[in-house]
Amino acid sequence: MDFSADVRQIDGLAVIDLHGEIMAGADDALTSGFVRATTGNTGPVLLNFADVSYINSTGIALIVGLLAEARASDRRILVSGLTDHYKDIFEITRISDFVTMCDDEESAAAAAKA
Amino acid sequence: MTTQEPTNAENWAKPVDSLHIAHDLPDHAINLNVEGKRVASMTSGFGKMWQKTYRVRLDGARVAPQQVVKVWKEHFPEFWQKGQHFFGPMASISPGDVALINVKTGGVKLSTGILVLYADDVSFSFMTPEGHMFTGMITFSARELEDGVTQAEIVALVRAQDPIYELGMMTMGSGAEDRQWLHVLRSLAAHFGVEGKPTLEKICVDRKRQWKRFGNVRRSAAIRTVFYSVTRPLRRKEKTRASA
């Protein structure tokens, strides 16, 4: 299954809907999604993993790279839609220290305003 | 909220609060800075964040990526430079394994370790504990290129964990690390009968230093290892006196 990233706005929050498998080939689509979500917008960004079926270690590295880019511009990142397993992976890698983990889009939108 | 298990759950390490080496170690191994330590957060280091990609084409070797990674996992320590030691489990590299590392980098002796975060049939990844010279992840993998040649690759997404390591990486440490991984790729290629010509590509992912992480220096494995080495004769003397 390929990977794609769609961008939309909800209530001042840029949402990147991630679809498919995040692995080596996802680099371009992920970066492009992030650029579209952040161009002309200094606010927080939500990474929505609800439609992500698979992440391997290369995929985690891509996400870390994205977080580094966000951190460089002092941008807050929220994530939602992670399965319990990938929540564990975010805990092990301690990515969770640097993002706001939310169960769903609604709670992410509320957290973004907090 | 979704709860279904992904197809690759068994490829990932299970969550742990602290690291523990579960296998026997040789007597000469210095086991510091691993037991009871937490994994270092991937974004909590001090220095600039680098993505370094080391690659070698296995031209002429008729070997599938799966076979390359199988051999790499089973013989991992054998591909290291002389004097650099990786004390892992005997069999192979598996998710959740914790291994001890004794290395000399930039003239400094270091006892540290890694957690095997992920392993499948074409890749495996390590994370480092707090106090290691860098925080981040290193992924070892193999894949078939469009021209049919298998390529082995090491991708390190890392930043120095504290200001001293950052200074070290700017002077000698980075070069030592590069030599280590280029050596590993040459050795791996030689295992398959190939005279490998490894390459290195470096990209600075984040140029900002995280000054709020300055305090990471108090966990430095290098400082602890140097202190351990310096005080070793005193401990021996104490031991001799106690047993007399």
Side-chain angles (χ1 to χ4, degrees):
Chain A
M1 187 179 178
D2 289 338
F3 174 80
S4 63
D6 299 324
V7 176
R8 60 194 164 91
Q9 297 279 335
I10 52 160
D11 215 4
L13 176 66
V15 181
I16 307 178
D17 293 313
L18 309 170
H19 307 283
E21 301 179 340
I22 307 183
M23 42 206 287
D27 195 4
D28 288 345
L30 192 62
T31 305
S32 154
F34 189 72
V35 168
R36 278 181 282 136
T38 54
T39 302
N41 161 34
T42 56
V45 170
L46 171 64
L47 300 176
N48 177 13
F49 287 84
D51 193 32
V52 170
S53 54
Y54 181 97
I55 309 175
N56 68 6
S57 59
T58 304
I60 287 290
L62 292 178
I63 294 164
V64 171
L66 204 72
L67 293 182
E69 213 170 304
R71 199 209 65 81
S73 54
D74 296 319
R75 187 183 301 275
R76 185 176 172 203
I77 298 288
L78 303 95
V79 303
S80 69
L82 285 170
T83 63
D84 289 346
H85 170 70
Y86 288 122
K87 280 182 187 168
D88 283 347
I89 301 307
F90 273 45
E91 294 287 341
I92 298 172
T93 54
R94 296 181 60 192
I95 290 174
S96 54
D97 293 0
F98 291 85
V99 299
T100 305
M101 306 267 280
C102 304
D103 285 338
D104 51 38
E105 197 173 297
E106 290 72 33
S107 53
K113 287 178 187 162
Chain B
M1 183 168 64
T2 49
T3 55
Q4 78 278 9
E5 279 290 297
T7 52
N8 67 340
E10 75 285 355
N11 298 125
W12 290 94
K14 299 281 179 285
V16 286
D17 292 329
S18 59
L19 301 179
H20 167 64
I21 296 174
H23 54 278
D24 292 335
L25 294 169
D27 289 342
H28 64 275
I30 303 174
N31 185 5
L32 293 172
N33 309 308
V34 179
E35 288 293 331
K37 294 282 180 189
R38 295 198 310 165
V39 168
S41 166
M42 295 182 70
T43 42
S44 70
F46 170 84
K48 294 179 179 180
M49 184 179 249
W50 293 93
Q51 181 172 300
K52 295 182 178 187
T53 306
Y54 311 83
R55 297 186 180 100
V56 68
R57 287 170 56 94
L58 302 178
D59 287 292
R62 290 188 174 182
V63 59
Q66 289 83 353
Q67 180 61 16
V68 172
V69 170
K70 184 174 184 291
V71 166
W72 210 347
K73 285 197 254 185
E74 289 173 353
H75 300 272
F76 190 74
E78 299 165 31
F79 299 129
W80 281 38
Q81 286 175 298
K82 200 178 168 188
Q84 315 283 56
H85 303 289
F86 179 92
F87 301 110
M90 291 299 286
S92 185
I93 283 170
S94 306
D97 285 347
V98 178
L100 180 70
I101 295 173
N102 285 179
V103 293
K104 198 169 180 183
T105 180
V108 179
K109 265 190 182 176
L110 188 69
S111 171
T112 179
I114 55 93
L115 166 74
V116 180
L117 173 69
Y118 181 91
D120 63 22
D121 59 350
V122 289
S123 70
F124 54 102
S125 299
F126 296 164
M127 282 190 73
T128 57
E130 289 178 338
H132 192 88
M133 55 268 219
F134 54 77
T135 172
M137 186 165 85
I138 298 189
T139 298
F140 306 82
S141 64
R143 65 191 171 103
E144 189 178 320
L145 300 174
E146 282 180 6
D147 61 4
V149 172
T150 293
Q151 176 176 270
E153 187 174 276
I154 301 170
V155 179
L157 185 65
V158 294
R159 68 192 327 155
Q161 201 150 153
D162 65 43
I164 296 175
Y165 285 138
E166 176 73 344
L167 192 62
M169 296 299 264
M170 287 165 60
T171 51
M172 292 177 289
S174 182
E177 190 202 4
D178 294 344
R179 280 192 295 281
Q180 161 71 4
W181 295 129
L182 293 170
H183 175 89
V184 164
L185 288 180
R186 264 192 297 272
S187 303
L188 181 68
H191 181 93
F192 292 103
V194 174
E195 191 182 341
K197 294 183 176 121
T199 60
L200 164 61
E201 180 189 4
K202 283 169 75 168
I203 298 170
C204 189
V205 179
D206 181 4
R207 294 195 167 277
K208 276 189 184 172
R209 294 195 172 92
Q210 304 197 105
W211 288 96
K212 65 181 176 186
R213 304 286 172 192
F214 192 90
N216 286 354
V217 72
R218 69 183 186 278
R219 299 194 195 98
S220 169
I223 291 175
R224 285 168 56 89
T225 310
V226 167
F227 184 76
Y228 173 87
S229 303
V230 168
T231 57
R232 200 176 206 175
L234 291 173
R235 282 196 305 279
R236 276 193 190 142
K237 209 171 174 181
E238 279 295 316
K239 205 173 171 183
T240 310
R241 193 182 296 164
S243 61

